[in-house]
Amino acid sequence: MKLSKIKELLAEQKSIAFQLPNGDLVPNHFHVTEVGKITKNFIDCGGTVRNEEVVNFQLWNANDYDHRLHPEKLINIIELSEKILKIDDLEIEVEYQGQTIEKFGLDFNDTNFILTSKQTDCLAKDNCGIPAEKTKVKLSEVNNEPCCAPDGNCC
């Protein structure tokens, strides 16, 4: 989700809820402790120089159970960050404390902001010999004709 989209969605909400990939909700007394721009400059395993930028939200739970972040307050934090940090309309990445700091993508399901799982990937598969992924076929879908029949499926 891009920054412009979350601001649009927040403007329509009365409250904010974030849902983890397993369906659990982030406790509603969470804080957004950071809104920032992360720039990553790197070289992939194929030698290509790459640059990525994302907007980072960091969610944090404290023991102040009476705290509730309202949508208009988060919009104000986002707009201040855009102005001061010169943030463009970038994709959002959300950090949240799991067993370590976990990073998520962001989506919305008409009620909650959904923290989506992210995956690592090789960006230079064609340069480092990674074979193309083979199509998986269920054996139950393979025709069960005898293999030795003249019109069988094994020859």
Side-chain angles (χ1 to χ4, degrees):
M1 175 181 302
K2 290 199 174 219
L3 203 53
S4 59
K5 184 65 175 177
I6 195 170
K7 290 191 321 184
E8 175 186 314
L9 291 167
L10 285 168
E12 301 169 355
Q13 304 305 308
K14 291 183 175 26
S15 63
I16 308 170
F18 287 94
Q19 185 175 338
L20 294 162
N22 68 3
D24 291 346
L25 291 176
V26 170
N28 57 9
H29 58 277
F30 72 92
H31 291 249
V32 174
T33 58
E34 296 177 10
V35 173
K37 177 171 62 172
I38 295 180
T39 302
K40 181 178 175 182
N41 300 316
F42 61 100
I43 297 175
D44 68 25
C45 62
T48 301
V49 175
R50 298 184 184 265
N51 300 295
E52 292 180 358
E53 285 189 332
V54 296
V55 174
N56 184 67
F57 288 14
Q58 185 181 78
L59 305 183
W60 178 67
N61 294 325
N63 58 2
D64 63 339
Y65 299 102
D66 295 328
H67 175 79
R68 300 292 180 271
L69 179 63
H70 297 282
E72 62 275 3
K73 173 74 173 183
L74 184 51
I75 290 171
N76 290 338
I77 295 168
I78 291 169
E79 289 176 346
L80 179 62
S81 299
E82 287 176 306
K83 178 182 173 186
I84 301 297
L85 301 175
K86 298 179 181 11
I87 297 175
D88 294 323
D89 190 24
L90 300 171
E91 285 291 321
I92 298 169
E93 181 176 85
V94 179
E95 291 181 350
Y96 184 66
Q97 185 68 46
Q99 291 188 17
T100 186
I101 297 173
E102 297 176 353
K103 293 184 178 191
F104 300 94
L106 189 63
D107 204 351
F108 189 71
N109 70 359
D110 294 327
T111 304
N112 300 325
F113 289 96
I114 308 298
L115 302 181
T116 59
S117 297
K118 295 183 77 151
Q119 301 285 319
T120 60
D121 195 8
C122 176
L123 300 176
K125 291 181 185 93
D126 55 335
N127 288 334
C128 61
I130 304 294
E133 196 168 312
K134 295 180 181 178
T135 304
K136 294 181 180 182
V137 177
K138 291 182 180 178
L139 291 177
S140 61
E141 294 174 357
V142 174
N143 193 347
N144 287 329
E145 294 177 24
C147 185
C148 295
D151 59 346
N153 61 6
C154 65
C155 303

